[in-house]
């Protein structure tokens, strides 16, 4: 796994932060998002207060304009920030062991600290960062043992499903996944860990979706994402690109084994693939 350079002391933002994608700032209504009298969410029956002596209980509340729905917009911005933070983690731009504050990251992404803090709380639930009181969030230091444990759990969850799919799914359905496998090869050739991680998850998600079990797909996706967080001591360069290319090639080999219903090869490939955090 890769890891970025350590951040400059006291800034909370690593070197190269200018390369980070900017997230559109969240919109706010003229009143800062507070409900106005007579609008949905204000005090009083039916969401409206009205002036004293006015009868508003029989009136149908008008829908609020989209620009005055800050909660929806905050959710959208939070999701964009979460995606950007996940990309930065996988790429190694957020270094393991470093502490990052929400205000500093908000400035980096061009948003307020609130959606950053919410996104980082989600990453904390996923095990990628930990809360440091009064400072921010520290990127978790992960080692080879944790990666091996994740690989074991992924194998326990996915190998039986893969074997069942190998017995039941017709060859033409597997052929439909060839473009996704080829996309992982192109992503690996780019040498960008984050680009490859996204393509890799898309391929595995499509394979498991053939089971028809949405809960399985969701759990496997979470485990897969955790396996992609950077390891301490990871590096960049040609050798990693070669590792990504080799990892991507296993997708095509897996499809070949699934088409041929070679259960022994399917099981071996999946386990080996997981050990490479693919």
């Amino acid at each position: 796994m890769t890891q970025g350079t350590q951040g400059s002391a006291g800034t909370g933002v690593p070197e190269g932060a200018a390369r980070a994608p900017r997230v559109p700032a969240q919109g706010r209504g003229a009143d800062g998002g507070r409900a106005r009298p007579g609008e949905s969410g204000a005090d009083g029956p039916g969401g409206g207060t009205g002036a004293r002596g006015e009868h508003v209980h029989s009136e149908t509340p008008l829908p609020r304009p989209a620009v005055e729905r800050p909660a929806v917009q905050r959710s959208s911005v939070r999701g964009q920030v979460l995606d950007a933070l996940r990309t930065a983690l996988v790429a190694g731009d957020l270094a393991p062991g470093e502490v990052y504050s929400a205000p500093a990251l908000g400035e980096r992404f061009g948003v307020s600290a609130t959606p950053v803090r919410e996104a980082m709380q989600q990453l904390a639930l996923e095990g990628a960062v930990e809360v440091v009181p009064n400072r921010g969030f520290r990127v978790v230091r992960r080692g080879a043992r944790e990666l091996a444990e994740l690989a074991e759990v992924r194998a326990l969850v996915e190998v039986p499903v893969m074997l069942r799919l190998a017995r039941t799914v017709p060859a033409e359905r597997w052929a439909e996944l060839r473009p996704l496998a080829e996309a992982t090869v192109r992503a690996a050739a780019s040498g960008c860990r984050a680009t490859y991680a996204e393509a890799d998850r898309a391929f595995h998600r499509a394979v498991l979706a053939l089971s028809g079990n949405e809960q399985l797909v969701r759990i496997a996706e979470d485990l897969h994402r955790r396996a992609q967080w950077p390891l301490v001591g990871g590096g960049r360069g040609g050798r990693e690109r070669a590792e990504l290319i080799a990892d991507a090639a296993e997708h095509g080999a897996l499809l070949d084994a699934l088409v041929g219903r070679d259960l022994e090869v399917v099981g071996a490939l999946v386990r080996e693939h997981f050990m490479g955090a693919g």
Side-chain angles (χ1 to χ4, degrees):
M1 292 291 184
T2 60
Q3 165 181 331
T5 56
Q6 296 294 319
S8 302
T11 62
V13 181
E15 296 179 2
R19 300 192 307 271
R22 293 184 63 83
V23 177
Q26 59 268 53
R28 294 178 60 88
D31 59 354
R34 297 177 59 187
R36 300 171 179 173
E39 292 182 330
S40 176
D43 295 335
T49 56
R52 183 180 300 274
E54 290 184 342
H55 299 282
V56 298
H57 60 275
S58 61
E59 296 179 6
T60 302
L62 294 176
R64 296 174 62 184
V67 294
E68 295 185 6
R69 294 183 184 272
V72 174
Q73 293 182 7
R74 280 200 302 271
S75 176
S76 174
V77 172
R78 179 181 58 193
Q80 294 177 61
V81 171
L82 180 59
D83 289 341
L85 288 172
R86 283 171 169 166
T87 297
L89 277 167
V90 175
D93 294 333
L94 298 181
E98 284 292 306
V99 177
Y100 300 89
S101 70
L105 289 172
E107 182 177 354
R108 174 182 179 179
F109 293 128
V111 299
S112 72
T114 299
V116 175
R117 192 173 291 108
E118 293 171 345
M120 290 298 258
Q121 291 287 356
Q122 176 60 37
L123 291 177
L125 292 176
E126 296 176 5
V129 301
E130 57 188 7
V131 178
V132 181
N134 302 320
R135 292 185 61 193
F137 301 84
R138 178 184 290 113
V139 178
V140 173
R141 293 181 178 273
R142 302 174 62 243
R145 176 175 179 176
E146 182 177 349
L147 188 63
E149 291 174 348
L150 283 168
E152 181 180 3
V153 176
R154 292 183 68 196
L156 289 172
V157 172
E158 296 190 38
V159 169
V161 178
M162 293 277 194
L163 295 178
R164 174 167 60 84
L165 294 176
R167 299 186 188 97
T168 59
V169 175
E172 55 269 22
R173 294 298 303 276
W174 296 123
E176 296 173 0
L177 303 188
R178 290 288 178 183
L180 290 176
E182 294 167 357
T184 66
V185 174
R186 292 192 298 271
S190 73
C192 176
R193 189 92 176 145
T195 300
Y196 177 72
E198 184 175 351
D200 187 32
R201 289 197 310 275
F203 173 79
H204 284 269
R205 186 166 55 246
V207 171
L208 294 177
L210 294 177
S211 70
N213 189 327
E214 295 182 2
Q215 298 303 317
L216 167 70
V217 174
R218 184 176 296 110
I219 292 172
E221 174 98 354
D222 178 66
L223 291 170
H224 194 168
R225 192 184 298 278
R226 289 170 184 253
Q228 292 174 331
W229 300 143
L231 288 172
V232 173
R236 301 173 183 265
R239 187 170 70 173
E240 180 173 334
R241 183 187 301 242
E243 291 173 352
L244 294 181
I245 292 175
D247 194 77
E250 293 176 356
H251 295 144
L254 176 60
L255 286 180
D256 291 338
L258 288 167
V259 169
R261 298 191 173 182
D262 192 331
L263 304 187
E264 183 177 352
V265 173
V266 168
L269 277 174
V270 173
R271 292 185 181 91
E272 181 180 352
H273 191 63
F274 289 169
M275 288 304 299

